[in-house]
Amino acid sequence: MEVKETLKGLTPYQPGKPVDEVKRELGLEKVVKLASNENPYGCSPLAKKAIEDVLGDVAVYPDGYAQKLRTKVAGRLGVGEKQLLFGNGSDEVILILCRALLSKGDNIVTATPTFPQYRHNAVIEGAEVKEVPLVNGEHDLNAMEKAIDENTKIVFVCNPNNPTGNSIGEQSFLSFLKSVPKDVVVVSDEAYKEYVTADDFPETVPLLKEYPNLIILRTFSKAYGLASLRIGYGVGEEGFMQSLDPAREPFNTSAIAQSAAFYALDDEEFLENCKQKNRQGIRMFEEFCEEYGLHCYPSQGNFILLDLKVPGSVTFDRLLKAGYIVRNGEALGFPTSVRITVGSKEQNEEIIEQLRTLVSNN
């Protein structure tokens, strides 16, 4: 028995090492995971209460249309309910887009390095992947526009970009959007939007009225702290989004996830608090880099990519032995870097002390 040719050579997505596994392997009592860009403050108390309230109905299938959550999100964004497509995380919306639009002979255009699931899902569908290198951690939108040809079906833009954290400004994004042929879908993946503090970050939702080929991705996994519940969505032109829906699995988002997301939207104070603490944490890492003459990218996400001038695997292993799980930059396209999720103030202070020791001993 053999899988189809496009799957051969692909590897599954590699998440950060589980805390319990590291404790067991290294005999550590305390392990801090700062590898998967999770919210160190958890989720809103309103979401926790919503989860408890739904537990009595776990024997019942969820609302496959996510009507209650759909109505609230549509109202918040100022779009029609049929413009939304909910997924098992925004990752699934990426999968649905590739499943619905791509075949052998088609191609996508994307930056590199960036979120790997764009490439992964396109390859599974037999499409070519045209990757355009980042410039100083940023999307080279001019080169991406030039890479588009008659076989291009989707252009993926990760804003802010993972793993560098750089964001694309409004004027640059709008100029790019104007240059893309109208039959090519532009996906603006805004998984980290709630953390953004840049004044020029584009407000993309109003652009949907003028650009029916634009799709925006959002998630409840990051700032809302609902990563384990897996719920996100895409928003775009109504007719196109409805045409994608048959590629979605039935009951793809759980009742627990829908309810938690519904009430998480009400806790704006929690969200703003997480945003401000995250920005303070980013600044702590930036100050460390300034002190030691090290490079880091200007992140608008809840993570930061640090170049410590030694192989990423070396830094990863040393931090792991000290009880800190981060992402090895070698696997992300940055051989001498590590990507660190911004933690709580205490966690940031602790890992920065570990970094001081590592840098001093290099």
Side-chain angles (χ1 to χ4, degrees):
M1 295 180 288
E2 290 190 6
V3 298
K4 64 183 183 180
E5 285 297 320
T6 56
L7 277 174
K8 294 179 179 179
L10 286 180
T11 57
Y13 180 81
Q14 299 296 318
K17 290 177 72 70
V19 169
D20 289 342
E21 180 182 331
V22 174
K23 285 183 177 179
R24 184 174 60 254
E25 286 181 0
L26 300 179
L28 298 172
E29 291 186 5
K30 177 184 176 182
V31 172
V32 178
K33 183 184 177 187
L34 298 174
S36 299
N37 303 341
E38 296 149 334
N39 189 335
Y41 305 105
C43 66
S44 163
L46 298 181
K48 292 180 181 179
K49 178 64 166 57
I51 291 169
E52 293 173 359
D53 291 345
V54 176
L55 289 177
D57 296 323
V58 294
V60 180
Y61 282 111
D63 173 6
Y65 195 60
Q67 182 63 65
K68 186 177 177 181
L69 177 60
R70 178 181 296 273
T71 299
K72 176 170 280 190
V73 171
R76 292 292 180 92
L77 296 179
V79 300
E81 293 181 7
K82 292 183 179 180
Q83 290 183 252
L84 295 166
L85 178 68
F86 286 90
N88 191 248
S90 56
D91 302 52
E92 191 193 21
V93 183
I94 295 168
L95 183 153
I96 291 170
L97 282 164
C98 291
R99 184 181 188 182
L101 297 178
L102 300 177
S103 301
K104 186 175 182 180
D106 298 329
N107 71 61
I108 70 164
V109 174
T110 182
T112 185
T114 191
F115 187 51
Q117 294 306 99
Y118 313 142
R119 164 181 249 284
H120 187 87
N121 284 292
V123 169
I124 290 174
E125 301 304 327
E128 177 191 0
V129 179
K130 303 178 77 172
E131 296 178 308
V132 177
L134 300 174
V135 176
N136 298 321
E138 298 182 359
H139 284 61
D140 187 345
L141 295 179
N142 288 332
M144 290 176 69
E145 189 271 327
K146 291 176 182 177
I148 296 170
D149 62 25
E150 66 275 9
N151 297 318
T152 303
K153 292 294 182 68
I154 311 173
V155 179
F156 285 100
V157 177
C158 189
N159 196 21
N161 186 51
N162 178 10
T164 59
N166 295 62
S167 66
I168 300 167
E170 184 173 17
Q171 289 304 314
S172 294
F173 182 77
L174 186 56
S175 177
F176 175 71
L177 196 56
K178 288 178 179 178
S179 72
V180 176
K182 300 308 179 186
D183 60 343
V184 175
V185 174
V186 176
V187 177
S188 181
D189 186 348
E190 302 174 5
Y192 299 92
K193 182 189 186 301
E194 289 78 14
Y195 284 115
V196 172
T197 58
D199 292 335
D200 66 342
F201 192 80
E203 287 297 330
T204 47
V205 173
L207 298 175
L208 293 172
K209 294 178 180 178
E210 187 175 352
Y211 296 95
N213 60 326
L214 173 64
I215 291 181
I216 302 157
L217 303 185
R218 302 275 175 85
T219 185
F220 289 94
S221 294
K222 304 303 179 184
Y224 288 102
L226 301 178
S228 71
L229 298 184
R230 311 306 303 126
I231 187 162
Y233 60 91
V235 55
E237 189 272 328
E238 180 178 314
F240 182 62
M241 299 306 284
Q242 291 297 297
S243 72
L244 293 173
D245 203 44
R248 177 182 60 85
E249 294 295 322
F251 310 116
N252 62 327
T253 60
S254 71
I256 294 174
Q258 291 177 31
S259 183
F262 180 91
Y263 287 101
L265 286 168
D266 289 335
D267 200 339
E268 295 181 7
E269 182 179 353
F270 172 82
L271 196 66
E272 182 62 27
N273 189 39
C274 290
K275 178 179 179 178
Q276 295 306 320
K277 287 181 177 178
N278 179 74
R279 183 47 45 188
Q280 293 165 8
I282 290 284
R283 188 59 194 146
M284 292 172 68
F285 286 102
E286 289 175 339
E287 289 173 351
F288 161 75
C289 288
E290 291 167 4
E291 180 182 352
Y292 286 90
L294 300 171
H295 179 266
C296 65
Y297 290 98
S299 178
Q300 289 293 320
N302 68 333
F303 57 88
I304 192 160
L305 189 69
L306 308 178
D307 187 347
L308 301 176
K309 301 179 181 179
V310 295
S313 57
V314 172
T315 303
F316 173 85
D317 289 339
R318 290 179 181 176
L319 288 173
L320 191 65
K321 290 174 182 176
Y324 295 90
I325 308 171
V326 299
R327 288 303 295 267
N328 179 357
E330 293 177 8
L332 303 174
F334 295 88
T336 58
S337 299
V338 290
R339 192 193 68 191
I340 302 175
T341 301
V342 176
S344 66
K345 185 173 184 293
E346 179 183 8
Q347 291 170 340
N348 297 334
E349 290 173 342
E350 289 175 353
I351 197 170
I352 286 173
E353 280 305 307
Q354 293 292 331
L355 293 171
R356 289 183 196 280
T357 301
L358 294 180
V359 172
S360 299
N361 293 336
N362 285 341

